[in-house]
């Protein structure tokens, strides 16, 4: 598989350090409110990448953090007259509820910043010991940016440009405007943890460096997030991790483009956002997921109500196709086997698209082409051909994480086998065995009704 690596600005073959095992870190949400549809884009895109790597037979160690201490969380807690942890736990739970709704697989680990204070303090001390960070007179700890010769390599900005943009805000005691906070001394009334530098709390960037190191090791295969995280967040993570660990931090970097609304980034600060929860209450979660993976992850996507409704209609077409396929399987009497071949071709096209920098747009097109072929051919196919089409259809839609609201057939195989045997013995006019099967089915809690389309299994 090839992916576009932000670090090299090239499409590169995505090869993990350890064959068959990918170590991936995705920056997660700051939990102070419901997530909006833009926040859900990296969640759905990188979940799809993970599913695809697993589909190819790899093991994926997938870590996605929860930023549960930060200025916005403290501000919200103060507004509500409560503590930061009440806010963080509430919106973390709401975030996980949205993830479940969007059919996002739980990460291998969802580490919380506040549960990694000792690891954060360890990496902070490593940086101080090596001269890459310093303690300011007020107890803040800053990263000494000019000690990192590689600084700017991810955002591809020359040092002079970065210097021109750097500022020292009121209250900051930096040696240099480019330096950034690793640890922040607490102000009166703020949540604080003890440290060798006095009571304080972690800066934002350091938590990801510490949690990636704790859960995935000094070097990871891939680091992901939205394109707005390239600078400064990811640039600073690289600086901290590489200076502390003395080795490459992330071998590949992937960044999703923005979800826009009227051609501006959907964001809380612009107040032009729709929460996932609100949209889901109107149309359900699944069209949101489908929409977020319907374009290539690096291109901007524009949110409108109409486009979400068209996603709903597209999903409906796939559900109908899949239901028709089930019906055709139950009543298969044709002789054709073209669908078996079409399934192989659909899978090849799907894989070619996904291998090309996770081109979910083309992968979805391959699924729709396959659906059209199923609709055209299913009445003429053998059961075997139909079953292989269903298997491929389910595999591909599962990689995309869609069609998860299908009512699953939960009839046990033993019951299905008995019903099949009953049909056979009835043809042979073996009524004694047919009656015995009926009794056996009843003891298992099932009945069988004979309809013109064939036997129907009913749960009693
Ligand atoms: P935040 O909680 O703001 O740190 O954002 C969490 C994740 O959502 C990060 O990976 C951001 O890059 C991403 N994100 C935020 N807004 C958008 C947007 N409008 N489009 C795409 N990704 C976004
Ligand atoms: Zn991060």
């Amino acid at each position: 598989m090839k992916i576009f690596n932000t670090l090299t600005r090239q499409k590169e073959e995505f090869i993990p350090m350890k064959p068959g095992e990918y170590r991936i870190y995705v920056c997660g949400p700051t939990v102070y409110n419901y997530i909006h549809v833009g926040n859900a884009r990296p969640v759905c895109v990188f979940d799809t990448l993970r599913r695809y790597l697993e589909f190819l037979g790899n093991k994926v160690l997938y870590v996605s953090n929860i930023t549960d201490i930060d200025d916005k969380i403290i501000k919200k807690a103060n507004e509500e007259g409560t503590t930061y942890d009440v806010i963080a736990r509430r919106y973390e739970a709401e975030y996980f509820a949205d993830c479940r709704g969007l059919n996002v697989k739980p990460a291998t680990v969802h580490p919380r910043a506040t549960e990694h204070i000792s690891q954060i303090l360890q990496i902070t001390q490593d940086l101080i010991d090596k001269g890459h960070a310093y303690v300011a007179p007020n107890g803040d700890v800053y990263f000494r940016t000019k000690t990192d010769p590689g600084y700017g390599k991810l955002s591809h900005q020359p040092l002079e440009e970065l210097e021109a943009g750097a500022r020292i805000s009121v209250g900051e005691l930096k040696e240099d405007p480019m330096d950034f906070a690793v640890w922040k001394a607490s102000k009166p009334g703020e949540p604080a943890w003890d440290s060798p530098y006095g009571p304080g709390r972690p800066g934002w960037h350091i938590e990801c460096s510490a949690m990636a190191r704790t859960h995935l090791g000094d070097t990871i295969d891939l680091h992901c997030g939205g394109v707005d995280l390239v600078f400064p967040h990811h640039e600073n993570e690289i600086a901290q991790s590489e200076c502390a660990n003395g080795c490459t931090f992330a071998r590949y970097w992937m960044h999703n483009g923005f979800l826009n609304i009227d051609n501006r980034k959907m964001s809380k600060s612009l107040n032009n956002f729709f929460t996932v929860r609100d949209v889901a209450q109107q149309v359900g979660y699944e069209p949101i997921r489908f929409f977020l993976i319907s374009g290539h992850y690096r291109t901007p996507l524009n949110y409108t109500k109409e486009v979400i409704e068209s996603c709903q209609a597209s999903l409906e077409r796939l559900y109908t196709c899949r239901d028709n396929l089930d019906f055709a399987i139950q009543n298969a009497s044709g002789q054709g086997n073209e669908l078996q071949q079409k399934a192989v071709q659909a899978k090849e096209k799907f894989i070619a698209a996904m291998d090309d920098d996770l081109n979910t747009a083309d992968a979805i097109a391959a699924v729709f082409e396959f659906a059209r072929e199923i609709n055209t051919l299913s009445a003429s196919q053998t059961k075997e051909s139909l079953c292989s089409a269903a298997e491929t259809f389910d595999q591909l839609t599962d990689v995309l994480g869609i069609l998860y609201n299908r009512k699953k057939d939960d009839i046990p195989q033993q019951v299905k086998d008995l019903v099949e045997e009953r049909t056979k013995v009835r043809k042979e006019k073996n009524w004694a065995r047919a009656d015995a099967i009926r009794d056996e089915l009843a003891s298992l809690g099932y009945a069988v009704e004979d309809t013109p389309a064939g036997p129907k299994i009913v749960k009693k």
Side-chain angles (χ1 to χ4, degrees):
M1 172 183 203
K2 282 194 169 167
I3 56 169
F4 182 87
N5 185 354
T6 313
L7 197 59
T8 57
R9 287 183 163 168
Q10 276 174 13
K11 270 192 208 173
E12 292 174 14
E13 199 59 47
F14 186 22
I15 303 167
M17 285 175 287
K18 190 172 163 195
E21 187 179 297
Y22 286 85
R23 290 167 182 260
I24 301 179
Y25 187 97
V26 184
C27 290
T30 305
V31 281
Y32 69 103
N33 209 330
Y34 290 96
I35 58 162
H36 61 62
V37 179
N39 298 136
R41 189 169 188 193
V43 176
C44 293
V45 162
F46 299 116
D47 175 67
T48 305
L49 171 70
R50 174 206 186 156
R51 286 166 175 270
Y52 183 59
L53 292 171
E54 286 174 347
F55 160 80
L56 294 177
N58 300 288
K59 183 173 169 194
V60 180
L61 298 174
Y62 195 88
V63 176
S64 185
N65 66 301
I66 299 286
T67 300
D68 62 347
I69 181 70
D70 129 294
D71 288 341
K72 289 181 285 235
I73 299 174
I74 296 171
K75 183 165 171 274
K76 179 95 170 178
N78 290 340
E79 282 165 12
E80 290 197 15
T82 185
T83 52
Y84 83 92
D85 51 327
V86 170
I87 299 295
R89 293 293 87 81
R90 182 198 304 159
Y91 290 108
E92 176 190 287
E94 300 296 2
Y95 166 70
F96 286 132
D98 284 337
C99 286
R100 280 193 298 278
L102 293 165
N103 198 28
V104 172
K105 292 176 114 180
T108 317
V109 194
H110 281 286
R112 294 169 175 152
T114 60
E115 289 173 358
H116 291 76
I117 299 295
S118 67
Q119 291 92 332
I120 288 169
L121 287 171
Q122 182 61 57
I123 196 166
T124 303
Q125 193 57 47
D126 292 349
L127 290 170
I128 294 172
D129 292 346
K130 291 183 175 181
H132 290 297
Y134 55 95
V135 188
N138 66 345
D140 284 346
V141 179
Y142 293 102
F143 185 85
R144 198 176 266 130
T145 302
K146 285 200 177 128
T147 63
D148 175 16
Y151 196 76
K153 67 181 175 186
L154 183 71
S155 49
H156 303 272
Q157 299 182 77
L159 213 57
E160 310 78 66
E161 226 169 80
L162 292 169
E163 266 187 301
R167 298 278 176 277
I168 300 186
S169 311
V170 183
E172 288 183 326
L173 300 172
K174 299 178 187 176
E175 287 175 358
D176 185 295
M178 288 204 4
D179 297 349
F180 58 87
V182 176
W183 180 262
K184 295 178 176 181
S186 56
K187 300 191 187 83
E190 275 186 0
W193 287 263
D194 284 336
S195 85
Y197 332 107
R201 60 188 167 94
W204 173 30
H205 318 302
I206 198 72
E207 68 172 271
C208 291
S209 287
M211 292 191 282
R213 175 158 101 169
T214 305
H215 296 283
L216 294 171
D218 288 355
T219 303
I220 65 174
D221 289 308
L222 171 68
H223 198 311
C224 318
V227 68
D228 53 337
L229 298 189
V230 172
F231 190 86
H233 184 52
H234 288 164
E235 196 74 74
N236 292 353
E237 276 188 43
I238 296 180
Q240 295 165 152
S241 292
E242 298 198 346
C243 288
N245 301 338
C247 57
T248 299
F249 175 40
R251 301 166 61 241
Y252 302 86
W253 290 82
M254 278 172 98
H255 292 96
N256 63 272
F258 285 141
L259 176 84
N260 292 331
I261 186 156
D262 299 327
N263 297 315
R264 293 177 83 191
K265 177 193 174 193
M266 183 181 282
S267 75
K268 300 227 168 95
S269 54
L270 290 172
N271 205 26
N272 62 350
F273 66 92
F274 289 96
T275 66
V276 167
R277 192 62 57 89
D278 282 345
V279 179
Q281 267 159 10
Q282 286 165 29
V283 295
Y285 278 103
E286 199 177 7
I288 305 174
R289 181 179 180 111
F290 185 89
F291 165 59
L292 290 172
I293 60 167
S294 64
H296 186 266
Y297 74 93
R298 283 193 289 124
T299 49
L301 263 183
N302 204 43
Y303 177 88
T304 62
K305 194 163 177 277
E306 291 71 33
V307 80
I308 286 280
E309 282 166 2
S310 85
C311 289
Q312 214 175 359
S314 299
L315 283 165
E316 213 43 62
R317 288 212 300 281
L318 293 180
Y319 275 107
T320 305
C321 167
R322 188 60 185 82
D323 285 347
N324 292 345
L325 191 49
D326 259 354
F327 185 81
I329 290 169
Q330 278 162 24
N331 304 289
S333 57
Q335 298 301 311
N337 63 0
E338 298 87 340
L339 265 187
Q340 221 159 352
Q341 192 55 33
K342 298 285 182 198
V344 173
Q345 287 164 358
K347 200 164 174 171
E348 279 169 4
K349 276 190 191 159
F350 183 92
I351 290 175
M354 296 292 270
D355 274 353
D356 183 13
D357 193 24
L358 197 72
N359 194 336
T360 49
D362 283 2
I364 289 174
V367 171
F368 272 92
E369 190 183 330
F370 186 37
R372 278 192 297 277
E373 288 158 353
I374 292 172
N375 289 340
T376 314
L377 292 167
S378 60
S380 66
Q381 300 293 291
T382 62
K383 188 165 185 167
E384 196 193 357
S385 174
L386 291 162
C387 285
S388 75
E391 196 190 342
T392 300
F393 192 89
D394 291 347
Q395 255 182 348
L396 304 187
T397 50
D398 194 49
V399 172
L400 297 171
I402 57 171
L403 294 212
Y404 53 95
N405 289 317
R406 216 163 81 80
K407 282 174 204 60
K408 287 269 181 323
D409 168 10
D410 57 358
I411 297 167
Q413 193 56 43
Q414 185 193 1
V415 172
K416 289 186 192 167
D417 289 347
L418 282 169
V419 172
E420 206 169 303
E421 191 194 340
R422 179 176 166 273
T423 308
K424 186 170 148 271
V425 298
R426 274 165 64 93
K427 275 191 193 137
E428 294 161 358
K429 301 199 187 320
N430 182 353
W431 309 117
R433 177 65 190 141
D435 286 348
I437 290 174
R438 192 180 270 276
D439 293 345
E440 218 173 309
L441 284 169
S443 72
L444 292 168
Y446 289 86
V448 55
E449 285 171 11
D450 295 303
T451 75
K456 198 170 155 205
I457 304 171
V458 190
K459 206 167 177 177
K460 290 206 289 191

